[in-house]
Structures are given as structure tokens and as C-alpha cells.
């Protein structure tokens, strides 16, 4: 656990909220608690936390709406909690901008491991030098990405996915490999990768409906095309 990390827990169930907060404080985090999304958003706009844990179903301003609002100005890591356990619900939550998703009931140990992973990745600059891969320019020290000279803003997961692919130009990478190497999951729902690929395309493609750079290789995985010039 990153000592002193500022974690915001947004959960309308006071018992769940307190249990999570106490567990993370014991692990060394500085935790603030909020009963609804509107209360949390007001605080976030004043001081951005290092990570958000957000319940999906809340009064006043729900988790989906809070994610969308935060994503309009920040790529802070977000873990979404929900009692809705199903692939479609998970995909829907990720589409709203969450980086990770846990269904209730969940293990506090698993939550802590996922918090650790997101904080570690958000804090790690990786190699310091900028590099160019075809039409992409990447500054790992500051986690910045440009496409054909235009800077794009990526969330933590989107950036890690992009960085993994751009370091393997024109190589076909399976969804299982991406889950293992980017998410550090030995197993899991591969639809998580599909959602993040879709979100990444929305930011790096001229037309996400007709991918030019991030191609699907049916039955095999994905390939990031970086060659200069030529038609898509």
C-alpha cells in the first residue's frame, strides 16, 4: 500500500463505508468518507484524491453520474462497487469510466490488492525518456500521449493498456495476455479488456467505428498499428 495515499470512499451504506475506511486506514491510507456522489463531487473539485472507491447505486448522485462527472476533468483511478453482479452490469460500469469493478459482497483483502495495484501504476512513471512510435509520441515520465501531434487524455487503465500495446508495435496481443500483463489478473472477465479497448479507440482513432490504429484480429486479440503514412 502506498503510505499516505488519499483515498475517497463514496458509499451510502454507513456500515460498508466505515468498514472499508477503517481497513484502508489501517493499511496506511488517508481516507475521507462521503454518503453520496454530490457530496463527494463537491470535495473532489476542491482537492483531488489519489483514488476513488465509488458505490454504483446511491441517492442524489449515483456512481455512474459521479464517474462521468469526474472523467470530464480527471483521470484519477476509480474502483466501482456494486450489488449488480453480471457481465452486462460490469461492462456498463467500466463504460462510465471506472478503472476496476468489484461486486458485493467482496473481500476486503481483494479490495486492498486492487487499490494497491491502481495506486502503484498511477504513481509509477516507468522509463523516463520520451519515445515516438510512428504517429504516437509518449512521455512516460508524465504519462502523456500524443496522436499525430494532438495530446489525448487517458485514464490510468487506458494509459497502461496503450503503453503495453505501443511497446509491441504491430504485434498481435490476446485479451488473456492483456489481462495478465496490464491488469495483473491470472484470471478474469476478458470483457474488461474489450471495454477499455473501446474507450481507448474513442480517444486515439479518427473514427472509432472504423479503427485505423487499434485493430481487432478476430480470434487472436488486438494489434496496434503504428506505421507512418498510408491509408487506414
Amino acid at each position: 500500500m502506498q503510505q499516505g495515499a488519499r483515498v475517497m470512499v463514496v458509499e451510502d451504506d454507513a456500515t460498508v463505508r466505515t468498514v472499508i475506511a477503517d481497513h484502508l486506514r489501517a493499511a496506511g491510507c488517508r481516507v475521507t468518507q462521503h454518503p453520496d456522489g454530490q457530496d463527494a463531487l463537491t470535495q473532489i473539485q476542491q482537492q483531488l484524491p489519489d483514488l476513488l472507491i465509488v458505490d454504483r447505486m446511491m441517492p442524489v448522485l449515483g456512481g455512474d453520474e459521479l464517474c462521468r462527472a469526474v472523467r470530464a476533468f480527471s483521470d484519477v483511478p476509480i474502483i466501482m462497487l456494486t450489488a449488480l453482479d453480471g457481465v452486462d452490469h460490469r461492462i456498463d460500469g467500466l463504460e462510465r469510466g471506472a478503472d476496476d469493478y468489484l461486486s458485493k459482497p467482496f473481500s476486503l483483502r481483494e479490495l486492498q490488492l486492487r487499490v494497491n495495484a491502481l495506486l502503484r501504476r498511477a504513481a509509477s512513471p516507468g522509463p523516463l525518456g520520451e519515445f515516438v512510435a510512428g504517429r504516437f509520441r509518449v512521455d512516460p515520465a508524465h504519462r502523456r500521449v500524443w496522436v499525430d501531434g494532438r495530446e489525448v487524455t487517458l485514464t490510468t487503465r487506458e494509459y497502461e493498456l496503450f503503453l503495453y500495446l505501443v511497446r509491441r508495435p504491430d504485434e498481435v496481443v490476446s485479451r488473456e495476455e492483456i489481462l495478465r500483463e496490464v491488469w495483473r489478473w491470472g484470471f478474469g472477465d476478458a470483457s474488461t479488456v474489450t471495454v477499455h479497448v473501446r474507450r481507448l479507440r474513442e480517444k486515439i482513432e479518427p473514427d472509432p467505428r472504423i479503427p485505423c490504429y487499434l485493430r481487432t484480429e478476430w480470434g487472436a486479440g488486438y494489434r496496434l498499428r503504428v506505421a507512418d503514412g498510408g491509408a487506414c
Side-chain angles (χ1 to χ4, degrees), residues 1-43:
M1 180 72 69
Q2 182 180 326
Q3 293 296 308
R6 291 173 290 110
V7 177
M8 179 179 289
V9 180
V10 190
E11 164 68 68
D12 63 323
D13 186 312
T15 300
V16 174
R17 187 172 68 242
T18 300
V19 167
I20 292 172
D22 288 349
H23 183 82
L24 294 178
R25 286 193 184 103
C29 290
R30 291 178 290 166
V31 184
T32 57
Q33 302 179 55
H34 300 271
D36 63 71
Q38 188 58 61
D39 182 66
L41 184 59
T42 299
Q43 183 60 39

Side-chain angles (χ1 to χ4, degrees), residues 161-179:
L161 172 60
F162 175 78
L163 191 64
Y164 186 75
L165 294 172
V166 81
R167 286 173 169 167
R168 293 155 183 78
D170 299 304
E171 177 183 330
V172 177
V173 183
S174 71
R175 294 196 296 175
E176 291 73 22
E177 180 180 342
I178 291 171
L179 270 180

Side-chain angles (χ1 to χ4, degrees), residues 29-175:
C29 290
R30 291 178 290 166
V31 184
T32 57
Q33 302 179 55
H34 300 271
D36 63 71
Q38 188 58 61
D39 182 66
L41 184 59
T42 299
Q43 183 60 39
I44 291 167
Q45 290 169 334
Q46 296 174 13
Q47 183 179 32
L48 196 66
D50 296 311
L51 183 139
L52 275 167
I53 298 173
V54 178
D55 181 40
R56 189 168 187 184
M57 307 296 287
M58 293 184 294
V60 186
L61 186 72
D64 289 349
E65 292 76 17
L66 178 59
C67 278
R68 280 196 294 264
V70 171
R71 283 293 174 250
F73 61 87
S74 174
D75 65 349
V76 60
I78 299 175
I79 297 176
M80 184 174 282
L81 307 177
T82 182
L84 302 174
D85 185 14
V87 173
D88 290 342
H89 294 304
R90 187 179 305 113
I91 290 175
D92 199 37
L94 294 169
E95 290 280 19
R96 297 300 189 273
D99 294 286
D100 209 341
Y101 193 104
L102 270 178
S103 298
K104 298 177 180 177
F106 54 85
S107 158
L108 287 172
R109 176 60 176 160
E110 181 179 5
L111 175 62
Q112 181 180 330
L113 289 173
R114 296 196 183 200
V115 168
N116 291 350
L118 282 172
L119 287 173
R120 184 167 56 248
R121 287 178 174 273
S124 175
L128 295 180
E130 288 191 20
F131 66 92
V132 174
R135 56 200 69 188
F136 303 107
R137 179 162 67 95
V138 185
D139 176 6
H142 300 97
R143 305 175 73 85
R144 299 174 69 186
V145 174
W146 292 262
V147 182
D148 293 329
R150 172 181 60 90
E151 185 171 7
V152 295
T153 301
L154 305 179
T155 67
T156 299
R157 284 296 194 203
E158 292 164 359
Y159 173 80
E160 294 294 341
L161 172 60
F162 175 78
L163 191 64
Y164 186 75
L165 294 172
V166 81
R167 286 173 169 167
R168 293 155 183 78
D170 299 304
E171 177 183 330
V172 177
V173 183
S174 71
R175 294 196 296 175

